[in-house]
């Protein structure tokens, strides 16, 4: 375990950490490899980072794996990403399950290849009783789409003349019981949210890191947590 680990105050661990796992393509291009090789290496990092997050006491970890806008990429990259996703769940599910990790999903199954949907549903089913850490896989996820889907769900459930509130809208999001994000980490050196978790990010602390996702290691997680613990969160108060 990295020495940086000792910098972390165990009493101030964020409940919900979200990561925009960005920079796979650039990692590959820098090495003159095809972009998909970057995605493959990026996928390999997920399991050890989940393990480190669980060990340090993070209870919810959201991982942005594919956005609703990523469909605009070349068809062969999109196809390879779905194949990789299926492979990831097929290869890693037993290990993930053994480690007490619960998998949940945020996004929409609309447009997803049926085989990808099947592996995700199987992972959710097999891990539903685990409680060491919850991994919220954000796949075919868009923050605006989530809010639109929540409003449409609300419209179906509402009584005539009943008004929408923040609490009611929260209860219609993809994962109603997921807490707000405390810490958002984005890798790759880009300073933007890219339509991730718009509702739940309202008061998140943002940490942007100049490391490409395939190079992300435990030490980067500890650095981000250390940075988070130095911040003063005010939530609009004093
Ligand atoms: C993130 O890496 C993974 C996905 C969006 C699927 P990118 O593929 O966006 O990598 P860069 O940003 O082009 O380097
Ligand atoms: C965000 O990264 C989506 C994921 C990491 C899955 P993008 O690479 O798609 O975002 P932009 O295009 O740089 O904003
Ligand atoms: Mg990117």
């Amino acid at each position: 375990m990295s020495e940086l680990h000792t910098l972390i105050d165990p009493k101030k661990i964020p409940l919900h950490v979200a990561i925009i796992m960005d920079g796979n393509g650039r990692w590959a291009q820098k090495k003159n490899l095809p972009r998909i090789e970057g995605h493959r290496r990026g996928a390999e990092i997920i399991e050890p980072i989940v393990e480190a997050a669980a060990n340090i006491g993070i209870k919810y970890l959201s991982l942005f794996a594919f956005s609703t806008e990523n469909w605009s990429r070349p068809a062969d990259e999109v196809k390879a990403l779905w194949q990789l996703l299926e492979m990831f769940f097929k290869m890693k599910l037993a290990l993930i399950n053994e480690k007490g990790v619960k998998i949940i999903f945020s996004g929409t199954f609309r447009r997803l290849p049926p085989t990808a949907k099947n592996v995700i549903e199987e992972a959710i089913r097999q891990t539903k009783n685990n409680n060491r850490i919850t991994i919220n896989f954000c796949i075919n996820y868009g923050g605006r789409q989530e809010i639109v889907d929540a409003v449409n769900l609300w419209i179906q459930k509402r009584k005539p003349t009943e008004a929408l509130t923040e609490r009611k809208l929260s209860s219609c999001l993809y994962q109603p019981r997921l807490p707000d994000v405390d810490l958002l980490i984005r890798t790759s050196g880009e300073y933007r949210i890219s339509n991730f978790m718009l509702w739940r990010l309202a008061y998140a602390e943002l940490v942007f890191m100049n490391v490409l996702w395939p190079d992300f290691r435990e030490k980067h997680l500890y650095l981000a947590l250390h940075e988070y613990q130095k911040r003063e969160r005010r939530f609009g108060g004093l």
Side-chain angles (χ1 to χ4, degrees):
M1 196 175 276
S2 158
E3 270 177 30
L4 285 163
H5 178 250
T6 57
L7 290 175
I8 312 298
D9 178 351
K11 293 188 294 299
K12 284 171 64 183
I13 300 296
L15 181 62
H16 183 184
V17 175
I19 308 183
I20 301 178
M21 307 183 292
D22 194 26
N24 294 348
R26 276 164 283 172
W27 182 92
Q29 275 157 354
K30 267 175 45 183
K31 295 185 153 50
N32 281 318
L33 296 166
R35 286 178 58 87
I36 189 65
E37 186 57 21
H39 295 309
R40 206 179 63 71
R41 296 294 287 268
E44 276 172 19
I45 303 306
I46 292 176
E47 192 278 315
I49 294 303
V50 167
E51 180 61 19
N55 283 340
I56 205 142
I58 293 165
K59 294 310 281 182
Y60 297 92
L61 180 65
S62 289
L63 298 175
F64 202 5
F66 190 92
S67 77
T68 46
E69 291 73 45
N70 288 148
W71 290 104
S72 65
R73 295 187 178 197
D76 58 347
E77 179 165 342
V78 172
K79 189 168 166 232
L81 278 167
W82 294 124
Q83 284 168 348
L84 186 64
L85 179 110
E86 284 172 41
M87 188 77 97
F88 172 82
F89 280 107
K90 282 184 184 149
M91 305 285 287
K92 303 282 184 197
L93 183 56
L95 180 65
I96 286 172
N97 199 6
E98 228 168 74
K99 293 189 168 199
V101 176
K102 177 175 177 163
I103 290 176
I104 60 174
F105 167 80
S106 286
T108 157
F109 284 132
R110 296 187 287 268
R111 263 184 105 172
L112 235 67
T115 44
K117 178 174 178 273
N118 290 345
V119 291
I120 296 167
E121 284 180 332
E122 182 60 19
I124 296 167
R125 198 185 61 73
Q126 282 193 30
T127 64
K128 68 176 192 297
N129 295 322
N130 294 343
N131 59 14
R132 184 164 160 244
I133 186 171
T134 297
I135 304 302
N136 175 37
F137 271 102
C138 301
I139 298 166
N140 196 17
Y141 173 88
R144 288 184 169 179
Q145 188 63 55
E146 179 175 31
I147 294 170
V148 168
D149 285 348
V151 170
N152 280 323
L153 180 61
W154 163 252
I155 290 168
Q156 286 171 27
K157 296 204 300 192
R158 83 190 268 267
K159 301 183 196 86
T161 76
E162 190 181 351
L164 186 55
T165 62
E166 289 189 16
R167 244 189 62 203
K168 289 174 191 169
L169 194 140
S170 289
S171 77
C172 294
L173 294 175
Y174 293 139
Q175 292 294 339
R177 286 205 290 268
L178 195 67
D180 280 350
V181 176
D182 298 299
L183 166 62
L184 173 79
I185 301 168
R186 183 180 186 140
T187 62
S188 91
E190 307 291 358
Y191 296 83
R192 55 178 173 261
I193 301 300
S194 300
N195 197 18
F196 192 37
M197 303 223 117
L198 297 180
W199 185 271
R200 298 229 187 271
L201 284 176
Y203 270 102
E205 294 298 328
L206 311 181
V207 172
F208 297 96
M209 302 185 87
N210 206 359
V211 54
L212 302 171
W213 176 252
D215 289 328
F216 194 87
R217 296 292 178 271
E218 278 176 53
K219 68 172 182 193
H220 298 103
L221 179 67
Y222 303 142
L223 281 171
L225 289 169
H226 183 54
E227 171 64 27
Y228 167 85
Q229 293 189 336
K230 289 193 291 190
R231 305 269 177 93
E232 189 199 356
R233 301 185 77 190
R234 296 210 196 139
F235 300 95
L238 293 178

